[in-house]
Amino acid sequence: MHVPVAIVGAGPSGSLLAWILRQRGIESIVLERQSREYVESRIRAGVMEQNSVDLMIKAGIGERLQKECMYHRGVAIGLYNEHHFLDFDKLIGIGVTVYGQSEVTKDLLGGLAAEGHNVLYEAPVRAIEDIEGDRATVKYTHEGADQELTCDFVIGCDGFHGPSRQAMPASVLKTHEKVYPFGWLGVMVNAPPSKDVALFAHHDRGFALLSMRSPKVSRLYLQCKPDEDLDEWPDERIWDELDTRLGTPGWELERGEIFQKDVTPLRSFFCYPMTHGRLFLCGDAAHIVPPTGAKGLNSAFADVSVLSSGLIQHYTKDDESILRRYGEVALERNIQTQRFSWSNTSKYHIFPDSNAFDRRMQAGEMEYLVTNETAQISYAQQHTGLPFAYWPEL
Ligand code: RFL
Ligand code: PHB
């Protein structure tokens, strides 16, 4: 079998790319290791930049998003147990949108299924070969049998642990990485959000975040050890710690039933080049950010915007100019996203090896942010997201 575009992974980047290409009649196959139910229920990102929202709408898959999303004018910042509101909309005329990643994937995978698109679930890719040749080969397993296909392009949308990046020649691939000495303990809660915007708190005992998924469901996080044992965190301890780090006089954190707990270690990672021969890396396959900037899903969408533009231009106009620039353009944006995510992570969290000087300077950074309008404008521009370099013609 030969297909023009083989997409490895049906997460947000793979499913959005397949959807956009389909709108322009460009044939692709999506190979996904997990079941559809598994992908759709993975609880991860919750905040979308306006460009990500606009891309969904432009691609004709934003109907439910527009109906159900929550628009936030800005964010609140907790410092010394006081809450400061940063009104992004007032500062730069744009806010952020809350809509869960699980809803994004449900919309995209549902849309692809409704149109009968070729998405193979429980079809792990085992190897990607011949990327320097005329056609690439993708080897995968489906329904217990080893299969293979050839394609013009392989798009690695298979996340941080997928096989695509490993298919790059070791002599070509360069990587940069930082592993942080902490993680996030996250809980999903059946309770209305205690604030109308997200609250990011810097506290002596560690970072904490109040976010949400809907008017009835809250999402909260606590800085913890990277290998934190959840057994040591009964619900009562989680609530008490959240109260300590997020609280302010006269305000109460709404408690509710905790229906999921997880621990995420924090890491920054990127690789380059993002393309080699017929292989193109996209989203978490090429870069990971710590969640403090809410950038992972949005960076994946930024990649898809450029890559889909390049593929559409190639297949409809026989012009490869965007496709050839994809790696460079996507990396350039990603470096700025990496910088914001790293600097935000460094600002908000308590580092176990920091001394009194480090901590005072860190608190000084936070004081600067909550009191200086120039700092707030810069923060707002980065938090709401950098432009996408190319938009697909749809
Ligand atoms: P994904 O979502 O990891 O999807 C990759 C897909 O590839 C499949 N796969 C394979 N398929 C076939 N064969 C193989 N051999 C395969 N190996 C893997 C996997 O099963 C999977 O379905 O990558 P993608 O599409 O690039 O999307 C990236 C986003 O998921 C990620 O960046 C965000 O979730 C990060 N993130 C956040 N991003 C935001 O923009 N805003 C946020 O508020 C935000 N919060 C978060 C986050 C990530 C978190 N965690 C758990 C890492 C909060 C958390 C806690
Ligand atoms: C979330 O709602 O899960 C969330 C919000 C903001 C972040 C990270 C995660 O920075």
Side-chain angles (χ1 to χ4, degrees):
M1 174 169 53
H2 183 86
V3 285
V5 182
I7 299 173
V8 187
S13 50
S15 54
L16 179 64
L17 181 64
W19 175 263
I20 292 176
L21 295 181
R22 186 176 178 87
Q23 303 318 299
R24 290 301 307 264
I26 298 162
E27 199 192 328
S28 73
I29 185 170
V30 183
L31 303 166
E32 166 58 51
R33 182 167 60 111
Q34 304 285 359
S35 69
R36 181 170 160 192
E37 296 68 38
Y38 183 93
V39 178
E40 288 184 350
S41 60
R42 223 166 7 204
I43 292 169
R44 284 181 166 183
V47 179
M48 294 179 79
E49 297 173 2
Q50 190 59 44
N51 283 321
S52 300
V53 172
D54 290 345
L55 186 57
M56 293 269 286
I57 295 169
K58 188 170 172 9
I61 194 77
E63 201 178 317
R64 192 167 72 95
L65 160 66
Q66 281 175 291
K67 250 189 249 145
E68 295 180 15
C69 75
M70 300 160 86
Y71 178 76
H72 287 182
R73 290 183 61 94
V75 296
I77 292 185
L79 180 62
Y80 308 131
N81 289 100
E82 268 175 48
H83 295 176
H84 304 260
F85 178 49
L86 264 50
D87 189 340
F88 295 163
D89 205 315
K90 188 165 153 216
L91 289 162
I92 60 163
I94 191 170
V96 290
T97 294
V98 171
Y99 191 67
Q101 175 166 331
S102 46
E103 305 313 307
V104 171
T105 41
K106 264 181 224 154
D107 292 345
L108 288 164
L109 297 177
L112 287 167
E115 295 199 357
H117 194 84
N118 207 358
V119 183
L120 300 188
Y121 293 98
E122 298 176 65
V125 167
R126 291 177 285 108
I128 297 166
E129 293 170 0
D130 312 323
I131 58 173
E132 292 171 352
D134 290 342
R135 294 175 155 207
T137 304
V138 179
K139 296 184 172 169
Y140 60 101
T141 306
H142 189 48
E143 292 173 344
D146 287 350
Q147 312 270 5
E148 68 178 65
L149 58 80
T150 60
C151 55
D152 303 343
F153 302 106
V154 188
I155 316 296
C157 295
D158 46 348
F160 184 65
H161 299 287
S164 300
R165 196 173 61 252
Q166 319 306 332
M168 287 268 190
S171 57
V172 169
L173 190 73
K174 300 192 176 49
T175 61
H176 293 269
E177 183 171 36
K178 182 175 180 68
V179 176
Y180 298 88
F182 40 73
W184 279 16
L185 191 166
V187 289
M188 294 288 288
V189 181
N190 275 324
S194 309
K195 276 188 98 66
D196 53 7
V197 292
L199 169 64
F200 292 75
H202 170 82
H203 193 277
D204 278 350
R205 293 177 61 85
F207 170 75
L209 168 60
L210 159 70
S211 183
M212 62 205 70
R213 287 293 176 276
S214 75
K216 290 188 182 148
V217 176
S218 300
R219 175 74 162 144
L220 295 120
Y221 299 96
L222 285 168
Q223 175 182 346
C224 63
K225 289 183 277 182
D227 54 353
E228 192 75 58
D229 180 2
L230 280 172
D231 287 344
E232 288 178 21
W233 286 88
D235 296 2
E236 203 57 26
R237 182 176 173 205
I238 294 177
W239 287 117
D240 290 346
E241 195 61 34
L242 285 166
D243 270 334
T244 304
R245 298 189 197 178
L246 292 170
T248 194
W251 174 83
E252 209 155 292
L253 181 61
E254 183 106 27
R255 297 189 177 196
E257 178 215 358
I258 295 179
F259 63 89
Q260 195 196 296
K261 287 184 200 172
D262 44 73
V263 171
T264 308
L266 265 57
R267 180 199 302 267
S268 297
F269 172 91
F270 64 94
C271 74
Y272 58 93
M274 284 172 65
T275 72
H276 184 73
R278 299 188 171 274
L279 175 62
F280 290 69
L281 302 179
C282 186
D284 276 18
H287 40 70
I288 295 279
V289 284
T292 329
K295 292 291 172 214
L297 173 69
N298 295 299
S299 305
F301 273 27
D303 288 356
V304 170
S305 194
V306 179
L307 188 51
S308 59
S309 303
L311 289 166
I312 290 170
Q313 192 191 44
H314 168 73
Y315 281 110
T316 63
K317 298 192 177 134
D318 200 19
D319 178 352
E320 286 208 345
S321 52
I322 298 180
L323 208 47
R324 264 193 253 114
R325 293 205 62 212
Y326 164 71
E328 191 191 316
V329 165
L331 179 66
E332 193 177 298
R333 186 185 192 278
N334 192 255
I335 296 292
Q336 290 308 314
T337 302
Q338 290 283 350
R339 186 188 55 70
F340 178 64
S341 302
W342 157 79
S343 106
N344 240 7
T345 302
S346 312
K347 233 199 293 278
Y348 280 108
H349 293 76
I350 299 300
F351 284 71
D353 60 354
S354 61
N355 62 23
F357 175 84
D358 298 331
R359 289 207 186 186
R360 189 64 196 88
M361 288 302 100
Q362 201 184 4
E365 281 267 357
M366 296 299 305
E367 289 161 11
Y368 180 59
L369 177 61
V370 299
T371 55
N372 185 289
E373 192 176 286
T374 308
Q376 291 171 2
I377 290 172
S378 165
Y379 189 90
Q381 282 168 344
Q382 298 175 80
H383 195 106
T384 55
L386 299 167
F388 290 1
Y390 293 97
W391 288 79
E393 275 180 29
L394 283 161

